[in-house]
Amino acid sequence: MVHPVEIESVDDVVAGLAAHEYLADEGLATAVFLAMTLRRPLLLEGEAGVGKTEVAKALARWTGGELLRLQCYEGIDASQAVYEWDYSRQLLHLRAVEAGGREVVEDELYSERFLVRRPLLRAIDYRGDVPPVLLVDEVDRADDEFEAFLLEILSDFAITIPELGTFSARVPPLTVLTSNRTRDVHDALKRRCLYHWIAHPDFERELAILRVRAPKVPEQLAEQVASAVSVLRALDLYKPPGVAETIDWAEALAALNRDLLDESAIDVTLGTILKYREDQERVREHGLPAIVQAAAARHA
Ligand SMILES: Nc1ncnc2c1ncn2[C@@H]1O[C@H](COP(=O)(O)OP(=O)(O)OP(=O)(O)O)[C@@H](O)[C@H]1O
Ligand SMILES: [Mg+2]
């Protein structure tokens, strides 16, 4: 069996993720279902805080596979992504052997003992029965060369280390790539992957997420928050609030013992939901009472 979890339909994915605190809509669940069934990498794009990274975490919790996370950044290279040799330990070994009056054979230094395994190698050469979940997070931050390199790896899930030989995955890891779209991921890489754009959740889903992720927040407050967030998102802000901010906001309000979302409650907690001064100004200009009213009207 490829995956230890039984999936026969998209509904199984919805249920499996929900059991691990991730509420996926049908579009996302379908993409995940296909990625698992066809064993193809899944590229998830979407604005900040919509739940891209969490998909991989929830998949790991659900399948029981180890989560191997490769956080991309400008300048990341193979030594951070695949493997490198532990020079200081090799040196120590060399000295110790020489002190013992023996000659060092080169092979000895380039053995698995001195190999530092990074996420991609670990994802390909995994031990254990369950394929790991490989999360290549924020791939848009890496540069072109690294993307090309990644493309090669995602094509055949094999890595050659000159001194040791070729490692290849018995079963490809369940692979999730995320991008905030600070730049476009190249078509060649996209072609390797299934693709899904995660949009902000609608009111119902966001409320359901709040119930799961912030269970201590009173129901009525959670409803008002979910509603107000959808109003804020329609305001053409520089950085519309993501789900993470919705959760923070609801928890902040609850921590301040506010059980209603009124003007003063918004006023004192605006910094948990809007992290740019311009956005805060924009919302204040729009008027806090207007936000309260629109939120109430939306889901009266
Ligand atoms: N559909 C969902 N079901 C449950 N929780 C969710 C969902 N979407 C988002 N969340 C919550 O929102 C938080 C933020 O999600 P996550 O970190 O995955 O966002 P992201 O898209 O990776 O953001 P960034 O682009 O900033 O990295 C998660 O910790 C999770 O608690
Ligand atoms: Mg993320």
Side-chain angles (χ1 to χ4, degrees):
M1 192 170 60
V2 176
H3 292 287
V5 292
E6 302 269 351
I7 50 159
E8 277 165 16
S9 67
V10 173
D11 285 347
D12 290 345
V13 172
V14 171
L17 290 175
H20 293 85
E21 301 192 324
Y22 193 92
L23 307 182
D25 63 16
E26 205 187 337
L28 174 60
T30 305
V32 170
F33 173 78
L34 293 174
M36 292 173 86
T37 313
L38 307 176
R39 289 185 234 157
R40 290 274 297 276
L42 175 60
L43 171 61
L44 297 175
E45 281 190 335
E47 290 187 41
V50 290
K52 302 179 296 292
T53 301
E54 191 65 28
V55 170
K57 293 183 181 171
L59 277 171
R61 293 195 293 270
W62 175 30
T63 62
E66 185 185 358
L67 179 70
L68 297 167
R69 179 178 189 164
L70 180 66
Q71 174 62 54
C72 297
Y73 53 89
E74 214 184 313
I76 188 174
D77 62 15
S79 68
Q80 292 309 305
V82 190
Y83 75 92
E84 66 183 329
W85 294 106
D86 189 338
Y87 289 119
S88 46
R89 287 194 56 224
Q90 283 173 321
L91 208 61
L92 279 176
H93 180 73
L94 197 68
R95 291 218 184 105
V97 171
E98 277 171 356
R102 181 165 75 78
E103 285 256 329
V104 181
V105 203
E106 200 180 308
D107 282 359
E108 210 174 309
L109 288 176
Y110 292 97
S111 63
E112 291 225 23
R113 210 177 135 192
F114 300 109
L115 186 67
V116 184
R117 305 157 74 90
R118 303 289 188 201
L120 291 179
L121 178 59
R122 291 172 61 202
I124 284 171
D125 185 40
Y126 62 90
R127 321 269 149 102
D129 297 330
V130 185
V133 175
L134 173 61
L135 167 62
V136 181
D137 215 7
E138 303 183 352
V139 67
D140 51 328
R141 293 190 186 202
D143 27 47
D144 289 358
E145 297 89 82
F146 186 74
E147 211 179 278
F149 171 74
L150 207 55
L151 179 66
E152 242 175 75
I153 297 213
L154 297 183
S155 307
D156 45 12
F157 284 103
I159 284 166
T160 299
I161 300 179
E163 297 87 348
L164 295 176
T166 298
F167 296 79
S168 52
R170 285 168 287 153
V171 174
L174 192 49
T175 304
V176 175
L177 297 90
T178 78
S179 164
N180 269 350
R181 228 174 157 202
T182 54
R183 68 167 177 81
D184 274 327
V185 172
H186 289 176
D187 286 346
L189 184 59
K190 278 195 170 165
R191 213 172 301 127
R192 285 272 158 257
C193 302
L194 303 171
Y195 174 84
H196 183 75
W197 171 266
I198 304 189
H200 289 123
D202 60 13
F203 168 79
E204 296 296 340
R205 184 171 311 281
E206 193 141 38
L207 180 58
I209 294 171
L210 278 178
R211 288 191 191 119
V212 169
R213 296 279 170 165
K216 294 206 178 95
V217 174
E219 177 69 15
Q220 193 191 0
L221 180 62
E223 278 174 28
Q224 290 178 325
V225 165
S227 183
V229 166
S230 66
V231 172
L232 291 176
R233 281 188 195 135
L235 284 186
D236 188 29
L237 299 173
Y238 173 65
K239 164 78 179 67
V243 179
E245 281 78 23
T246 310
I247 296 170
D248 283 350
W249 196 21
E251 283 180 337
L253 289 160
L256 294 168
N257 294 317
R258 302 275 186 159
D259 33 70
L260 277 181
L261 192 68
D262 54 19
E263 199 187 326
S264 88
I266 300 182
D267 183 45
V268 293
T269 55
L270 207 54
T272 56
I273 186 93
L274 299 174
K275 312 280 172 78
Y276 284 87
R277 192 174 59 114
E278 293 78 359
D279 284 346
Q280 294 198 357
E281 277 168 7
R282 169 101 182 72
V283 167
R284 288 186 197 282
E285 260 165 44
H286 182 82
L288 301 186
I291 306 277
V292 175
Q293 277 162 21
R298 230 168 223 236
H299 302 283

